Amino acid sequence: NFSHGTHKHYQEIIQTIQTLRQEQNFNVAILQDVQGPKIRIGEVENGSVELIAGQEFLLYAEPCVATQNKASVSYPYILEDIPSGSRVLLDDGKLEMKVKDRTQEALVCEVIYGGMLSPKKGVTFPDVSLHINSLTEKDKEDILFGIAHKVDFLAISFVQRANDVMETKDFLMENGSHIPVIAKIERREALNN
């Protein structure tokens, strides 16, 4: 999982697996899971705030420190891309909101499932196709690392359409590799497309 950690850490893990494969004659594949485009909440007042089911909550594209009533997300197109009625999942789905309306600056949401909101937690819009590429610059650096260390499989995150897989395969071929690509089905668009 290349969402957390350093290349040095991953290199140690890969070397351990490769050594054990050889010593023990194990047939163990190494799958590299790249992070993909991660949308996150910004900073949060006092380290965390509690969101209560039924309350109104504003989501801004412009950075702000989150409070019990508002937060910013790292996706600049929320006002253009996210329609009323859409679900918003935070912190791996532990918190859920529904978009009710919008102002010129923010989405107006209702908290469906509340809980504690901490800084840098992931945000997903599962009902909406987003204007993002599946491969980030970080992913490309990580894939080059995986090629150099001979990983067996490559999993790409937040795939929305077939072109996301083709972009990854093209990048691999441009760098002399034919590692099999696994598309992680984490978004409705992946099923639709």
Side-chain angles (χ1 to χ4, degrees):
N1 181 346
F2 275 65
S3 294
H4 315 284
T6 64
H7 282 185
K8 182 177 188 260
H9 171 74
Y10 302 129
Q11 183 173 351
E12 292 169 3
I13 292 171
I14 290 170
Q15 286 174 339
T16 299
I17 293 169
Q18 290 171 338
T19 300
L20 287 171
R21 259 195 318 212
Q22 217 167 32
E23 288 176 358
Q24 302 296 320
N25 198 26
F26 288 151
N27 186 10
V28 177
I30 298 172
L31 182 143
Q32 178 185 21
D33 179 7
V34 295
Q35 178 176 299
K38 191 75 167 172
I39 301 170
R40 296 187 181 279
I41 288 290
E43 293 301 320
V44 177
E45 180 178 77
N46 300 321
S48 67
V49 293
E50 185 175 8
L51 307 185
I52 310 293
Q55 81 172 80
E56 184 176 279
F57 194 82
L58 300 175
L59 286 176
Y60 291 87
E62 292 296 317
C64 69
V65 175
T67 66
Q68 189 172 8
N69 301 310
K70 68 176 183 178
S72 62
V73 297
S74 62
Y75 183 64
Y77 308 108
I78 59 170
L79 293 172
E80 296 91 342
D81 288 356
I82 314 302
S84 293
S86 299
R87 290 179 300 147
V88 181
L89 304 177
L90 299 106
D91 193 5
D92 296 326
K94 293 177 187 150
L95 292 92
E96 182 177 340
M97 299 180 192
K98 188 171 195 166
V99 178
K100 294 293 188 185
D101 201 358
R102 70 188 65 249
T103 68
Q104 288 186 348
E105 301 168 334
L107 294 178
V108 180
C109 302
E110 177 187 352
V111 176
I112 305 299
Y113 297 107
M116 298 305 290
L117 179 63
S118 305
K120 309 292 184 198
K121 292 298 181 181
V123 180
T124 58
F125 305 96
D127 305 323
V128 179
S129 181
L130 303 176
H131 294 92
I132 53 178
N133 289 333
S134 184
L135 279 187
T136 66
E137 290 306 311
K138 178 191 180 319
D139 295 335
K140 290 177 181 179
E141 290 175 22
D142 290 341
I143 291 169
L144 292 174
F145 174 89
I147 292 169
H149 290 85
K150 298 180 176 28
V151 299
D152 301 298
F153 297 96
L154 173 64
I156 54 174
S157 300
F158 305 110
V159 171
Q160 294 187 94
R161 47 201 156 281
N163 192 50
D164 295 336
V165 177
M166 295 313 299
E167 178 186 356
T168 303
K169 289 184 174 191
D170 289 346
F171 182 77
L172 286 166
M173 284 193 290
E174 288 166 11
N175 289 282
S177 178
H178 297 282
I179 298 169
V181 175
I182 298 169
K184 293 174 63 181
I185 307 301
E186 301 171 285
R187 302 189 45 78
R188 182 180 307 270
E189 292 77 25
L191 291 174
N192 295 341
N193 297 320

